[in-house]
Amino acid sequence: MVDLQNNQAFKDLGIQLLSISPDTADAWRAEGGKLGISSPMLSDTGNAVWLQYGTVDWMMATNEPGHTFILVDETGKVEWVRDYGAAENGGLMYVTPEELVPLLEEHLGGP
């Protein structure tokens, strides 16, 4: 989150970054503050938002959302998904902006 929110190439995409987690708002506030996260963070303690987007396939073994990036258009339609936490995608816990930005640019039709 911190690297994406501070990356100029990502900012230039004009995408609103939002992090969603089943963690409580207090936990988000504490962790986000420690890390310097300034983009919006949503506490989705019952996973209602996560499940609304049909992303149950990307739940981790703990029944929590994984490290998944979802591009949602202005109508709420899921336009692009990449689950980096999935074994077939390397089981990554971190993705650099340098890897993510070109994929998003390609999906959006170029830089």
Side-chain angles (χ1 to χ4, degrees), residues 7-36:
N7 181 275
Q8 190 58 51
F10 182 82
K11 289 178 188 178
D12 291 346
L13 293 174
I15 295 172
Q16 173 62 58
L17 186 60
L18 169 67
S19 188
I20 302 173
S21 170
D23 296 320
T24 66
D26 287 340
W28 257 129
R29 230 180 263 93
E31 190 64 21
K34 279 193 275 183
L35 296 172

mmCIF file of all heavy atoms in Angstrom, residues 7-36:
data_model
loop_
_atom_site.group_PDB
_atom_site.id
_atom_site.type_symbol
_atom_site.label_atom_id
_atom_site.label_comp_id
_atom_site.label_asym_id
_atom_site.label_seq_id
_atom_site.Cartn_x
_atom_site.Cartn_y
_atom_site.Cartn_z
ATOM 1 N N ASN A 7 3.952 5.944 -5.339
ATOM 2 C CA ASN A 7 4.553 5.734 -6.647
ATOM 3 C C ASN A 7 3.898 6.658 -7.684
ATOM 4 O O ASN A 7 2.685 6.580 -7.906
ATOM 5 C CB ASN A 7 4.398 4.266 -7.046
ATOM 6 C CG ASN A 7 5.024 3.967 -8.371
ATOM 7 O OD1 ASN A 7 4.405 4.158 -9.408
ATOM 8 N ND2 ASN A 7 6.250 3.486 -8.347
ATOM 9 N N GLN A 8 4.681 7.512 -8.315
ATOM 10 C CA GLN A 8 4.133 8.479 -9.266
ATOM 11 C C GLN A 8 3.484 7.800 -10.468
ATOM 12 O O GLN A 8 2.436 8.249 -10.943
ATOM 13 C CB GLN A 8 5.208 9.468 -9.736
ATOM 14 C CG GLN A 8 4.636 10.624 -10.526
ATOM 15 C CD GLN A 8 3.601 11.428 -9.741
ATOM 16 O OE1 GLN A 8 3.848 11.845 -8.613
ATOM 17 N NE2 GLN A 8 2.426 11.649 -10.328
ATOM 18 N N ALA A 9 4.065 6.729 -10.974
ATOM 19 C CA ALA A 9 3.475 6.031 -12.123
ATOM 20 C C ALA A 9 2.090 5.494 -11.763
ATOM 21 O O ALA A 9 1.161 5.552 -12.572
ATOM 22 C CB ALA A 9 4.388 4.909 -12.593
ATOM 23 N N PHE A 10 1.933 4.981 -10.544
ATOM 24 C CA PHE A 10 0.618 4.510 -10.108
ATOM 25 C C PHE A 10 -0.347 5.684 -9.973
ATOM 26 O O PHE A 10 -1.479 5.616 -10.425
ATOM 27 C CB PHE A 10 0.703 3.730 -8.788
ATOM 28 C CG PHE A 10 -0.629 3.196 -8.354
ATOM 29 C CD1 PHE A 10 -1.123 2.021 -8.896
ATOM 30 C CD2 PHE A 10 -1.411 3.881 -7.439
ATOM 31 C CE1 PHE A 10 -2.377 1.537 -8.528
ATOM 32 C CE2 PHE A 10 -2.651 3.413 -7.061
ATOM 33 C CZ PHE A 10 -3.133 2.232 -7.608
ATOM 34 N N LYS A 11 0.112 6.764 -9.370
ATOM 35 C CA LYS A 11 -0.736 7.955 -9.222
ATOM 36 C C LYS A 11 -1.215 8.447 -10.587
ATOM 37 O O LYS A 11 -2.364 8.861 -10.741
ATOM 38 C CB LYS A 11 0.029 9.075 -8.529
ATOM 39 C CG LYS A 11 0.288 8.840 -7.067
ATOM 40 C CD LYS A 11 1.101 10.015 -6.510
ATOM 41 C CE LYS A 11 1.576 9.772 -5.111
ATOM 42 N NZ LYS A 11 2.389 10.903 -4.606
ATOM 43 N N ASP A 12 -0.337 8.394 -11.583
ATOM 44 C CA ASP A 12 -0.674 8.874 -12.922
ATOM 45 C C ASP A 12 -1.776 8.052 -13.586
ATOM 46 O O ASP A 12 -2.405 8.515 -14.539
ATOM 47 C CB ASP A 12 0.568 8.878 -13.820
ATOM 48 C CG ASP A 12 1.577 9.941 -13.411
ATOM 49 O OD1 ASP A 12 1.225 10.851 -12.616
ATOM 50 O OD2 ASP A 12 2.743 9.842 -13.862
ATOM 51 N N LEU A 13 -2.026 6.835 -13.094
ATOM 52 C CA LEU A 13 -3.090 6.001 -13.645
ATOM 53 C C LEU A 13 -4.474 6.548 -13.287
ATOM 54 O O LEU A 13 -5.457 6.228 -13.943
ATOM 55 C CB LEU A 13 -2.974 4.559 -13.135
ATOM 56 C CG LEU A 13 -1.756 3.766 -13.591
ATOM 57 C CD1 LEU A 13 -1.714 2.424 -12.873
ATOM 58 C CD2 LEU A 13 -1.770 3.575 -15.101
ATOM 59 N N GLY A 14 -4.543 7.356 -12.237
ATOM 60 C CA GLY A 14 -5.826 7.914 -11.816
ATOM 61 C C GLY A 14 -6.737 6.904 -11.135
ATOM 62 O O GLY A 14 -7.950 7.082 -11.105
ATOM 63 N N ILE A 15 -6.163 5.852 -10.593
ATOM 64 C CA ILE A 15 -6.926 4.813 -9.902
ATOM 65 C C ILE A 15 -6.983 5.149 -8.414
ATOM 66 O O ILE A 15 -5.962 5.467 -7.809
ATOM 67 C CB ILE A 15 -6.257 3.429 -10.087
ATOM 68 C CG1 ILE A 15 -6.292 3.024 -11.556
ATOM 69 C CG2 ILE A 15 -6.919 2.384 -9.206
ATOM 70 C CD1 ILE A 15 -5.494 1.757 -11.858
ATOM 71 N N GLN A 16 -8.173 5.072 -7.834
ATOM 72 C CA GLN A 16 -8.322 5.257 -6.387
ATOM 73 C C GLN A 16 -7.903 3.967 -5.695
ATOM 74 O O GLN A 16 -8.495 2.918 -5.915
ATOM 75 C CB GLN A 16 -9.763 5.595 -6.019
ATOM 76 C CG GLN A 16 -10.024 5.637 -4.522
ATOM 77 C CD GLN A 16 -9.207 6.701 -3.793
ATOM 78 O OE1 GLN A 16 -9.300 7.879 -4.124
ATOM 79 N NE2 GLN A 16 -8.407 6.286 -2.839
ATOM 80 N N LEU A 17 -6.886 4.045 -4.893
ATOM 81 C CA LEU A 17 -6.388 2.899 -4.148
ATOM 82 C C LEU A 17 -7.205 2.747 -2.872
ATOM 83 O O LEU A 17 -7.422 3.718 -2.147
ATOM 84 C CB LEU A 17 -4.910 3.128 -3.813
ATOM 85 C CG LEU A 17 -4.140 2.012 -3.151
ATOM 86 C CD1 LEU A 17 -4.128 0.757 -4.015
ATOM 87 C CD2 LEU A 17 -2.709 2.470 -2.873
ATOM 88 N N LEU A 18 -7.680 1.545 -2.603
ATOM 89 C CA LEU A 18 -8.461 1.248 -1.404
ATOM 90 C C LEU A 18 -8.035 -0.123 -0.910
ATOM 91 O O LEU A 18 -8.005 -1.077 -1.678
ATOM 92 C CB LEU A 18 -9.957 1.237 -1.726
ATOM 93 C CG LEU A 18 -10.900 0.699 -0.656
ATOM 94 C CD1 LEU A 18 -10.914 1.611 0.567
ATOM 95 C CD2 LEU A 18 -12.299 0.537 -1.220
ATOM 96 N N SER A 19 -7.710 -0.199 0.347
ATOM 97 C CA SER A 19 -7.340 -1.486 0.943
ATOM 98 C C SER A 19 -8.502 -1.988 1.775
ATOM 99 O O SER A 19 -9.092 -1.238 2.555
ATOM 100 C CB SER A 19 -6.097 -1.313 1.815
ATOM 101 O OG SER A 19 -5.648 -2.574 2.243
ATOM 102 N N ILE A 20 -8.855 -3.257 1.584
ATOM 103 C CA ILE A 20 -9.959 -3.868 2.311
ATOM 104 C C ILE A 20 -9.407 -5.052 3.093
ATOM 105 O O ILE A 20 -8.681 -5.885 2.546
ATOM 106 C CB ILE A 20 -11.061 -4.344 1.351
ATOM 107 C CG1 ILE A 20 -11.567 -3.181 0.514
ATOM 108 C CG2 ILE A 20 -12.197 -5.017 2.126
ATOM 109 C CD1 ILE A 20 -12.542 -3.585 -0.575
ATOM 110 N N SER A 21 -9.772 -5.117 4.364
ATOM 111 C CA SER A 21 -9.276 -6.175 5.230
ATOM 112 C C SER A 21 -10.340 -6.537 6.264
ATOM 113 O O SER A 21 -11.125 -5.673 6.664
ATOM 114 C CB SER A 21 -8.012 -5.711 5.953
ATOM 115 O OG SER A 21 -7.646 -6.622 6.963
ATOM 116 N N PRO A 22 -10.348 -7.787 6.717
ATOM 117 C CA PRO A 22 -11.290 -8.151 7.776
ATOM 118 C C PRO A 22 -10.845 -7.654 9.152
ATOM 119 O O PRO A 22 -11.536 -7.868 10.142
ATOM 120 C CB PRO A 22 -11.312 -9.684 7.721
ATOM 121 C CG PRO A 22 -9.973 -10.059 7.195
ATOM 122 C CD PRO A 22 -9.610 -8.955 6.233
ATOM 123 N N ASP A 23 -9.724 -6.969 9.218
ATOM 124 C CA ASP A 23 -9.247 -6.418 10.487
ATOM 125 C C ASP A 23 -10.198 -5.336 10.983
ATOM 126 O O ASP A 23 -10.862 -4.670 10.185
ATOM 127 C CB ASP A 23 -7.837 -5.827 10.323
ATOM 128 C CG ASP A 23 -6.813 -6.880 9.955
ATOM 129 O OD1 ASP A 23 -6.878 -7.988 10.508
ATOM 130 O OD2 ASP A 23 -5.959 -6.594 9.100
ATOM 131 N N THR A 24 -10.225 -5.124 12.275
ATOM 132 C CA THR A 24 -11.071 -4.077 12.855
ATOM 133 C C THR A 24 -10.546 -2.697 12.466
ATOM 134 O O THR A 24 -9.375 -2.552 12.095
ATOM 135 C CB THR A 24 -11.100 -4.174 14.389
ATOM 136 O OG1 THR A 24 -9.782 -3.886 14.884
ATOM 137 C CG2 THR A 24 -11.579 -5.543 14.860
ATOM 138 N N ALA A 25 -11.410 -1.706 12.588
ATOM 139 C CA ALA A 25 -10.998 -0.339 12.282
ATOM 140 C C ALA A 25 -9.853 0.100 13.185
ATOM 141 O O ALA A 25 -8.917 0.779 12.735
ATOM 142 C CB ALA A 25 -12.184 0.612 12.415
ATOM 143 N N ASP A 26 -9.896 -0.286 14.462
ATOM 144 C CA ASP A 26 -8.804 0.067 15.381
ATOM 145 C C ASP A 26 -7.485 -0.559 14.944
ATOM 146 O O ASP A 26 -6.442 0.089 14.973
ATOM 147 C CB ASP A 26 -9.132 -0.365 16.811
ATOM 148 C CG ASP A 26 -10.196 0.513 17.453
ATOM 149 O OD1 ASP A 26 -10.398 1.651 16.973
ATOM 150 O OD2 ASP A 26 -10.826 0.054 18.422
ATOM 151 N N ALA A 27 -7.532 -1.822 14.515
ATOM 152 C CA ALA A 27 -6.319 -2.493 14.051
ATOM 153 C C ALA A 27 -5.780 -1.819 12.793
ATOM 154 O O ALA A 27 -4.578 -1.623 12.638
ATOM 155 C CB ALA A 27 -6.593 -3.978 13.794
ATOM 156 N N TRP A 28 -6.681 -1.466 11.876
ATOM 157 C CA TRP A 28 -6.284 -0.775 10.652
ATOM 158 C C TRP A 28 -5.626 0.562 10.977
ATOM 159 O O TRP A 28 -4.606 0.919 10.409
ATOM 160 C CB TRP A 28 -7.496 -0.499 9.758
ATOM 161 C CG TRP A 28 -7.668 -1.391 8.580
ATOM 162 C CD1 TRP A 28 -8.801 -2.059 8.254
ATOM 163 C CD2 TRP A 28 -6.730 -1.706 7.558
ATOM 164 N NE1 TRP A 28 -8.614 -2.760 7.095
ATOM 165 C CE2 TRP A 28 -7.354 -2.564 6.640
ATOM 166 C CE3 TRP A 28 -5.406 -1.333 7.314
ATOM 167 C CZ2 TRP A 28 -6.715 -3.059 5.513
ATOM 168 C CZ3 TRP A 28 -4.763 -1.830 6.184
ATOM 169 C CH2 TRP A 28 -5.426 -2.676 5.308
ATOM 170 N N ARG A 29 -6.273 1.312 11.883
ATOM 171 C CA ARG A 29 -5.740 2.620 12.261
ATOM 172 C C ARG A 29 -4.327 2.483 12.818
ATOM 173 O O ARG A 29 -3.425 3.227 12.457
ATOM 174 C CB ARG A 29 -6.655 3.274 13.295
ATOM 175 C CG ARG A 29 -7.041 4.671 12.955
ATOM 176 C CD ARG A 29 -7.945 5.294 14.012
ATOM 177 N NE ARG A 29 -9.359 5.232 13.693
ATOM 178 C CZ ARG A 29 -10.220 4.272 14.066
ATOM 179 N NH1 ARG A 29 -9.862 3.284 14.795
ATOM 180 N NH2 ARG A 29 -11.476 4.325 13.716
ATOM 181 N N ALA A 30 -4.148 1.521 13.717
ATOM 182 C CA ALA A 30 -2.841 1.319 14.346
ATOM 183 C C ALA A 30 -1.797 0.895 13.321
ATOM 184 O O ALA A 30 -0.709 1.480 13.237
ATOM 185 C CB ALA A 30 -2.944 0.285 15.460
ATOM 186 N N GLU A 31 -2.110 -0.105 12.525
ATOM 187 C CA GLU A 31 -1.145 -0.616 11.539
ATOM 188 C C GLU A 31 -0.908 0.399 10.431
ATOM 189 O O GLU A 31 0.224 0.625 10.016
ATOM 190 C CB GLU A 31 -1.642 -1.942 10.953
ATOM 191 C CG GLU A 31 -0.623 -2.661 10.121
ATOM 192 C CD GLU A 31 0.606 -3.113 10.898
ATOM 193 O OE1 GLU A 31 0.549 -3.231 12.132
ATOM 194 O OE2 GLU A 31 1.646 -3.348 10.255
ATOM 195 N N GLY A 32 -1.982 1.003 9.931
ATOM 196 C CA GLY A 32 -1.844 2.008 8.882
ATOM 197 C C GLY A 32 -1.019 3.188 9.336
ATOM 198 O O GLY A 32 -0.210 3.717 8.584
ATOM 199 N N GLY A 33 -1.209 3.589 10.588
ATOM 200 C CA GLY A 33 -0.428 4.694 11.142
ATOM 201 C C GLY A 33 1.045 4.358 11.235
ATOM 202 O O GLY A 33 1.901 5.169 10.881
ATOM 203 N N LYS A 34 1.340 3.149 11.677
ATOM 204 C CA LYS A 34 2.749 2.715 11.785
ATOM 205 C C LYS A 34 3.421 2.687 10.421
ATOM 206 O O LYS A 34 4.588 3.033 10.295
ATOM 207 C CB LYS A 34 2.840 1.315 12.403
ATOM 208 C CG LYS A 34 2.727 1.286 13.903
ATOM 209 C CD LYS A 34 3.135 -0.064 14.452
ATOM 210 C CE LYS A 34 1.960 -1.002 14.409
ATOM 211 N NZ LYS A 34 2.199 -2.318 14.967
ATOM 212 N N LEU A 35 2.669 2.263 9.418
ATOM 213 C CA LEU A 35 3.235 2.113 8.081
ATOM 214 C C LEU A 35 3.177 3.389 7.251
ATOM 215 O O LEU A 35 3.783 3.473 6.194
ATOM 216 C CB LEU A 35 2.509 0.985 7.328
ATOM 217 C CG LEU A 35 2.649 -0.406 7.920
ATOM 218 C CD1 LEU A 35 1.738 -1.387 7.190
ATOM 219 C CD2 LEU A 35 4.106 -0.869 7.861
ATOM 220 N N GLY A 36 2.414 4.370 7.698
ATOM 221 C CA GLY A 36 2.280 5.611 6.938
ATOM 222 C C GLY A 36 1.290 5.514 5.793
ATOM 223 O O GLY A 36 1.411 6.223 4.795
#
